[in-house]
Amino acid sequence: MNAFSFLVSTVFDLYLMVVILRLWLQFARADFYNPFSQFIVKATHPIVGPLRRVIPSFGNFDSASFVLAITVVILKFVLLTLMAGAALDVPSILLISLVSVFKEAGVLLFWMLILRAILSWVSQGQNPIEMVMSQLTEPLLAPIRRMLPQMGGLDLSLLVMMVVLNFLNILLAQYVPYWASV
């Protein structure tokens, strides 16, 4: 059963990342005409489109995409619980799902920062994925860059942000229920 649990978890986690990116793209007002952004929109629109008719957005916050993200995690944990033959504990699954969406967003940000750092070393020009990652992470990195002293062209804001994300992950694992287990 371990192989099937891995497969289910991976498929749901990958789709969750796509849904979080959709939410993040709209929140950051990133370029939706970018080919990578178009992939994200096409992968989520069959579900988000109908949800938007029922669930309104609040400013830049796409609440329909957020509800979809929570639903994806709930379905993942319900399916994994049923596969394990355990009893469903609905309040725990709801809390785990909410925690899991926020933690997955932080993990996604962490990996985007690492990819952005690697691409800055090897990239020969602007590619669509690099442009979207820049649009999504720059609002978080710009304030750090303003606080750091000039280092002769060396940008340490990525490193500082990764340290902050790891600090938050360790801190939240101590105080938020289920944070360390998802």
Side-chain angles (χ1 to χ4, degrees), residues 1 8 13 15 17 29 45 50 54 60 62 67 75 89-90 97 99 101 103 106 131 133 135 152 161 169 173 180-181:
M1 211 53 136
V8 167
D13 286 345
Y15 192 68
M17 280 192 257
R29 295 184 183 203
H45 188 70
V54 179
N60 290 346
D62 184 9
V67 168
L75 289 174
D89 182 15
V90 177
S97 299
V99 167
V101 167
K103 186 169 183 180
M131 291 172 62
M133 283 194 298
Q135 290 174 338
M161 188 57 157
N169 189 33
S181 63

CSV table of all heavy atoms in Angstrom, one decimal, residues 1 8 13 15 17 29 45 50 54 60 62 67 75 89-90 97 99 101 103 106 131 133 135 152 161 169 173 180-181:
chain,number,residue,atom,x,y,z
A,1,MET,N,0.8,-1.2,0.0
A,1,MET,CA,0.0,0.0,0.0
A,1,MET,C,0.9,1.3,0.0
A,1,MET,O,0.4,2.3,-0.3
A,1,MET,CB,-0.9,-0.1,1.2
A,1,MET,CG,-2.2,0.6,1.1
A,1,MET,SD,-3.2,0.1,-0.3
A,1,MET,CE,-4.8,0.0,0.6
A,8,VAL,N,-0.7,8.6,-4.8
A,8,VAL,CA,-1.8,9.5,-4.5
A,8,VAL,C,-1.3,10.8,-3.9
A,8,VAL,O,-1.7,11.9,-4.3
A,8,VAL,CB,-2.8,8.8,-3.5
A,8,VAL,CG1,-3.8,9.8,-3.0
A,8,VAL,CG2,-3.5,7.7,-4.2
A,13,ASP,N,-0.3,16.5,-4.4
A,13,ASP,CA,0.6,17.6,-4.1
A,13,ASP,C,1.0,18.4,-5.3
A,13,ASP,O,1.1,19.6,-5.2
A,13,ASP,CB,1.8,17.1,-3.4
A,13,ASP,CG,1.6,16.7,-1.9
A,13,ASP,OD1,0.5,17.1,-1.4
A,13,ASP,OD2,2.4,15.9,-1.4
A,15,TYR,N,-0.8,18.9,-8.0
A,15,TYR,CA,-2.0,19.7,-8.4
A,15,TYR,C,-2.2,20.8,-7.4
A,15,TYR,O,-2.5,22.0,-7.8
A,15,TYR,CB,-3.2,18.9,-8.5
A,15,TYR,CG,-4.3,19.7,-9.2
A,15,TYR,CD1,-4.2,20.0,-10.6
A,15,TYR,CD2,-5.5,20.1,-8.5
A,15,TYR,CE1,-5.2,20.8,-11.2
A,15,TYR,CE2,-6.4,20.8,-9.2
A,15,TYR,CZ,-6.3,21.2,-10.5
A,15,TYR,OH,-7.3,21.9,-11.1
A,17,MET,N,0.2,22.4,-5.9
A,17,MET,CA,1.2,23.4,-6.2
A,17,MET,C,0.7,24.3,-7.4
A,17,MET,O,0.8,25.5,-7.4
A,17,MET,CB,2.5,22.8,-6.6
A,17,MET,CG,3.4,22.4,-5.4
A,17,MET,SD,5.0,22.0,-5.9
A,17,MET,CE,5.0,20.2,-5.9
A,29,ARG,N,-0.5,39.8,-9.3
A,29,ARG,CA,-0.8,40.4,-10.6
A,29,ARG,C,0.3,40.2,-11.6
A,29,ARG,O,0.7,41.1,-12.3
A,29,ARG,CB,-1.1,41.9,-10.4
A,29,ARG,CG,-2.3,42.2,-9.6
A,29,ARG,CD,-2.6,43.7,-9.5
A,29,ARG,NE,-3.7,43.9,-8.7
A,29,ARG,CZ,-4.4,45.0,-8.7
A,29,ARG,NH1,-4.2,45.9,-9.6
A,29,ARG,NH2,-5.4,45.1,-7.9
A,45,HIS,N,-8.6,26.1,-14.6
A,45,HIS,CA,-9.8,26.8,-15.0
A,45,HIS,C,-11.1,25.9,-15.0
A,45,HIS,O,-12.2,26.4,-14.6
A,45,HIS,CB,-9.7,27.5,-16.3
A,45,HIS,CG,-10.8,28.3,-16.6
A,45,HIS,ND1,-11.1,29.5,-15.9
A,45,HIS,CD2,-11.8,28.2,-17.5
A,45,HIS,CE1,-12.2,30.0,-16.4
A,45,HIS,NE2,-12.7,29.3,-17.4
A,50,PRO,N,-16.1,27.5,-12.7
A,50,PRO,CA,-17.5,27.4,-12.1
A,50,PRO,C,-17.5,27.8,-10.6
A,50,PRO,O,-18.5,28.3,-10.1
A,50,PRO,CB,-17.7,25.9,-12.2
A,50,PRO,CG,-16.9,25.4,-13.3
A,50,PRO,CD,-15.7,26.3,-13.3
A,54,VAL,N,-19.8,31.1,-7.8
A,54,VAL,CA,-20.5,30.9,-6.5
A,54,VAL,C,-19.7,31.6,-5.4
A,54,VAL,O,-20.3,32.2,-4.5
A,54,VAL,CB,-20.5,29.4,-6.2
A,54,VAL,CG1,-21.2,29.1,-4.8
A,54,VAL,CG2,-21.3,28.6,-7.3
A,60,ASN,N,-7.5,41.3,-4.6
A,60,ASN,CA,-6.6,40.5,-5.4
A,60,ASN,C,-6.7,39.0,-4.9
A,60,ASN,O,-6.0,38.2,-5.5
A,60,ASN,CB,-5.2,41.0,-5.2
A,60,ASN,CG,-4.9,42.3,-5.9
A,60,ASN,OD1,-5.7,42.7,-6.8
A,60,ASN,ND2,-3.9,42.9,-5.6
A,62,ASP,N,-8.0,35.5,-4.7
A,62,ASP,CA,-8.9,34.6,-5.5
A,62,ASP,C,-9.4,33.6,-4.5
A,62,ASP,O,-8.8,32.5,-4.3
A,62,ASP,CB,-8.2,34.0,-6.6
A,62,ASP,CG,-9.0,33.2,-7.5
A,62,ASP,OD1,-10.3,33.2,-7.3
A,62,ASP,OD2,-8.5,32.5,-8.4
A,67,VAL,N,-10.4,28.0,-2.0
A,67,VAL,CA,-11.3,26.9,-1.7
A,67,VAL,C,-10.9,25.6,-2.4
A,67,VAL,O,-10.9,24.5,-1.9
A,67,VAL,CB,-12.7,27.3,-2.0
A,67,VAL,CG1,-13.7,26.1,-1.9
A,67,VAL,CG2,-13.2,28.4,-1.0
A,75,LEU,N,-9.4,16.2,0.0
A,75,LEU,CA,-9.5,14.9,-0.8
A,75,LEU,C,-8.3,14.0,-0.7
A,75,LEU,O,-8.5,12.8,-0.6
A,75,LEU,CB,-9.8,15.3,-2.3
A,75,LEU,CG,-11.2,15.9,-2.6
A,75,LEU,CD1,-11.2,16.3,-4.0
A,75,LEU,CD2,-12.3,14.9,-2.2
A,89,ASP,N,-11.5,11.4,10.8
A,89,ASP,CA,-11.7,12.4,11.9
A,89,ASP,C,-11.9,13.8,11.2
A,89,ASP,O,-10.9,14.4,10.9
A,89,ASP,CB,-10.5,12.4,12.8
A,89,ASP,CG,-10.7,13.4,14.0
A,89,ASP,OD1,-11.8,13.9,14.2
A,89,ASP,OD2,-9.7,13.7,14.7
A,90,VAL,N,-13.1,14.2,10.9
A,90,VAL,CA,-13.3,15.4,10.1
A,90,VAL,C,-12.7,16.6,10.6
A,90,VAL,O,-12.1,17.4,9.9
A,90,VAL,CB,-14.9,15.5,9.8
A,90,VAL,CG1,-15.2,16.8,9.0
A,90,VAL,CG2,-15.4,14.3,9.1
A,97,SER,N,-5.8,20.2,6.6
A,97,SER,CA,-5.8,20.7,5.3
A,97,SER,C,-5.5,22.2,5.2
A,97,SER,O,-4.7,22.6,4.3
A,97,SER,CB,-7.2,20.5,4.7
A,97,SER,OG,-7.5,19.1,4.6
A,99,VAL,N,-3.6,23.9,7.4
A,99,VAL,CA,-2.2,24.0,7.7
A,99,VAL,C,-1.4,23.6,6.5
A,99,VAL,O,-0.4,24.2,6.2
A,99,VAL,CB,-1.9,23.1,9.0
A,99,VAL,CG1,-0.4,23.0,9.1
A,99,VAL,CG2,-2.5,23.7,10.2
A,101,VAL,N,-2.1,23.7,3.3
A,101,VAL,CA,-2.0,24.6,2.2
A,101,VAL,C,-1.0,25.7,2.5
A,101,VAL,O,-0.2,26.1,1.6
A,101,VAL,CB,-3.4,25.2,2.0
A,101,VAL,CG1,-3.4,26.5,1.1
A,101,VAL,CG2,-4.4,24.2,1.4
A,103,LYS,N,1.6,25.6,4.5
A,103,LYS,CA,3.0,25.0,4.5
A,103,LYS,C,3.4,24.7,3.1
A,103,LYS,O,4.6,25.0,2.7
A,103,LYS,CB,3.0,23.7,5.3
A,103,LYS,CG,4.4,23.2,5.5
A,103,LYS,CD,4.6,22.1,6.5
A,103,LYS,CE,6.0,21.7,6.6
A,103,LYS,NZ,6.2,20.7,7.6
A,106,GLY,N,4.7,27.8,1.5
A,106,GLY,CA,6.0,28.2,1.9
A,106,GLY,C,7.1,27.3,1.3
A,106,GLY,O,8.1,27.8,0.9
A,131,MET,N,10.7,34.6,-15.8
A,131,MET,CA,10.0,35.8,-15.7
A,131,MET,C,8.9,35.7,-14.6
A,131,MET,O,8.7,36.6,-13.8
A,131,MET,CB,9.5,36.2,-17.0
A,131,MET,CG,10.6,36.6,-18.0
A,131,MET,SD,10.0,36.9,-19.7
A,131,MET,CE,8.8,38.3,-19.5
A,133,MET,N,8.7,33.5,-12.1
A,133,MET,CA,9.3,33.4,-10.8
A,133,MET,C,9.7,34.8,-10.2
A,133,MET,O,9.6,35.0,-9.1
A,133,MET,CB,10.4,32.4,-10.8
A,133,MET,CG,10.0,31.0,-10.8
A,133,MET,SD,11.2,29.8,-10.5
A,133,MET,CE,12.4,30.1,-11.8
A,135,GLN,N,8.4,37.7,-11.1
A,135,GLN,CA,7.2,38.5,-10.7
A,135,GLN,C,6.6,38.0,-9.4
A,135,GLN,O,6.0,38.8,-8.6
A,135,GLN,CB,6.1,38.3,-11.8
A,135,GLN,CG,6.5,39.1,-13.1
A,135,GLN,CD,5.6,38.8,-14.2
A,135,GLN,OE1,4.8,37.8,-14.2
A,135,GLN,NE2,5.5,39.7,-15.2
A,152,GLY,N,28.6,44.8,-4.0
A,152,GLY,CA,29.4,44.7,-5.3
A,152,GLY,C,28.7,43.8,-6.3
A,152,GLY,O,29.4,43.0,-6.9
A,161,MET,N,16.0,35.4,2.5
A,161,MET,CA,14.6,34.9,2.5
A,161,MET,C,14.5,33.4,2.8
A,161,MET,O,13.6,33.0,3.5
A,161,MET,CB,14.0,35.3,1.1
A,161,MET,CG,12.5,35.0,1.1
A,161,MET,SD,11.7,35.9,2.4
A,161,MET,CE,10.1,36.0,1.7
A,169,ASN,N,9.4,28.0,9.4
A,169,ASN,CA,9.0,26.6,9.4
A,169,ASN,C,9.3,25.9,10.8
A,169,ASN,O,8.5,25.2,11.3
A,169,ASN,CB,9.8,25.8,8.3
A,169,ASN,CG,9.2,24.5,8.1
A,169,ASN,OD1,8.0,24.2,8.3
A,169,ASN,ND2,10.1,23.6,7.7
A,173,ALA,N,6.4,24.9,13.5
A,173,ALA,CA,6.4,23.4,13.9
A,173,ALA,C,6.2,23.3,15.4
A,173,ALA,O,5.6,22.3,15.9
A,173,ALA,CB,7.6,22.7,13.4
A,180,ALA,N,4.4,20.1,11.8
A,180,ALA,CA,5.5,19.2,11.5
A,180,ALA,C,5.1,18.0,10.8
A,180,ALA,O,6.0,17.3,10.2
A,180,ALA,CB,6.2,18.9,12.8
A,181,SER,N,3.9,17.6,10.9
A,181,SER,CA,3.5,16.3,10.3
A,181,SER,C,3.0,16.3,8.9
A,181,SER,O,2.8,15.3,8.2
A,181,SER,CB,2.4,15.6,11.2
A,181,SER,OG,1.3,16.4,11.2
